[in-house]
Amino acid sequence: MNVLIVYAHPEPHSLSGALKQVMVTQLTALGHQVQVSDLYAMNWKASLDAADFTRDRQGKPFDPAEDSKLGYEQGLQTPDITREQEKLRWADTVIFQFPLWWFSMPAIMKGWFERVYAYGFAYGVGEHSDSHWGDRYGEGNMTGKRAMLVVTAGGWESHYHPRGINGGIDDILFPIQHGMLWYPGFDVLPPHVIYRVHKMDDARFQVECEKLEARMNTLEQTAPLPFRRQNFGDYQIPSLILRPELAEGESGWRVHLQRQRKAARAG
């Protein structure tokens, strides 16, 4: 299996750096091919702007979507963007590892998505009609690939409980997992979150390494999150509202998960 790790932490000798190396070592020992995009080490440019494309706009103002579309189609993207797209094509599984900063990923990783996810590559694909609204949310160019998040957080696990002060971790990660991974077609594996990282002693570090190694061992077997597919009948098109008979009376991100039907009672 080909595994790409997209990693964002500015300090190579951090806990995050050590955890990254644990994943690389374990995956390599299992016989997988591994590439790492270490965004800070790469001095990755975070902002999407006109400098990302070599096309002559002939005095027209920069249009992020249009310039991205033409840049991708005509091979006018900067080489750093193209290299990351090639890594995504190569990968069977992509792991995004980052510390939770201000309830999201570091800006440098957000910029990776904004620049690498070109129009025609990760979005803006597929027909739009009365029955099909683009190849997205379970379809798209990343279909058949797996993705997961490895996240470190300073707060206690209880702080990220559904009734915790920070809000539930699933609520916080939903825009990333559903909107940035499921949207272009990745099968999204349950996240691996490590809490209270500033209180990490050697004994606990060893335990956390073993847990992370266990997740690496089962990357190919772990069932993905059962997000609903957009174009397979659960959503009304073109409104894209979930059909009223599904998760009736409910709202929020959990309605976008398929529910297992209860087995009929015998007799």
Side-chain angles (χ1 to χ4, degrees):
M1 182 171 65
N2 296 334
V3 181
L4 171 63
I5 299 173
V6 182
Y7 167 75
H9 197 287
E11 175 49 61
H13 302 293
S14 62
L15 171 66
S16 291
L19 294 171
K20 170 178 63 70
Q21 190 55 50
V22 167
M23 290 193 293
V24 171
T25 300
Q26 185 67 7
L27 290 167
T28 302
L30 292 168
H32 302 305
Q33 302 299 310
V34 182
Q35 291 191 64
V36 178
S37 289
D38 184 339
L39 300 183
Y40 281 96
M42 293 160 57
N43 196 28
W44 178 261
K45 173 179 170 287
S47 57
L48 171 67
D49 56 30
D52 288 335
F53 311 101
T54 59
R55 64 181 292 257
D56 181 2
R57 295 190 308 283
Q58 299 179 339
K60 295 179 181 178
F62 173 60
D63 182 323
E66 183 67 12
D67 280 62
S68 176
K69 179 178 186 291
L70 295 176
Y72 175 68
E73 289 178 348
Q74 299 175 12
L76 301 177
Q77 303 171 128
T78 53
D80 58 342
I81 294 175
T82 301
R83 281 193 296 268
E84 296 305 296
Q85 291 170 347
E86 290 172 349
K87 291 177 187 177
L88 283 177
R89 291 191 185 95
W90 168 86
D92 301 304
T93 297
V94 185
I95 298 171
F96 296 91
Q97 183 196 350
F98 58 90
L100 193 66
W101 287 355
W102 287 109
F103 298 89
S104 187
M105 57 182 59
I108 196 170
M109 181 174 281
K110 179 59 162 52
W112 183 94
F113 280 94
E114 291 183 3
R115 298 180 67 223
V116 175
Y117 270 25
Y119 189 113
F121 178 71
Y123 75 104
V125 298
E127 68 172 73
H128 284 68
S129 67
D130 291 339
S131 61
H132 190 100
W133 201 258
D135 294 343
R136 58 184 200 165
Y137 292 115
E139 299 177 275
N141 288 333
M142 301 303 125
T143 302
K145 299 177 183 292
R146 308 189 127 210
M148 72 173 287
L149 305 181
V150 174
V151 182
T152 49
W156 296 18
E157 184 171 2
S158 62
H159 298 176
Y160 294 95
H161 183 275
R163 291 172 59 86
I165 186 65
N166 289 341
I169 191 66
D170 291 329
D171 297 87
I172 292 169
L173 297 181
F174 178 75
I176 301 171
Q177 296 187 135
H178 189 263
M180 297 163 72
L181 301 181
W182 180 238
Y183 185 109
F186 282 110
D187 285 328
V188 185
L189 305 185
H192 185 80
V193 185
I194 302 172
Y195 300 95
R196 213 178 180 191
V197 293
H198 301 302
K199 300 293 183 180
M200 185 78 66
D201 58 22
D202 290 343
R204 183 170 167 237
F205 175 70
Q206 183 60 39
V207 170
E208 295 297 344
C209 287
E210 291 172 359
K211 291 179 181 177
L212 189 55
E213 288 172 345
R215 285 300 306 270
M216 298 301 101
N217 293 345
T218 58
L219 275 182
E220 294 175 285
Q221 296 81 36
T222 301
L225 298 172
F227 289 130
R228 299 180 187 273
R229 294 186 178 188
Q230 174 186 280
N231 293 310
F232 284 67
D234 286 359
Y235 298 91
Q236 302 174 84
I237 295 176
S239 70
L240 298 181
I241 295 175
L242 190 66
R243 293 190 176 280
E245 66 271 19
L246 299 174
E248 188 174 1
E250 301 179 49
S251 61
W253 71 266
R254 288 177 178 81
V255 305
H256 302 293
L257 293 171
Q258 292 179 340
R259 313 294 175 84
Q260 291 186 347
R261 294 179 180 177
K262 295 181 180 179
R265 292 182 179 179

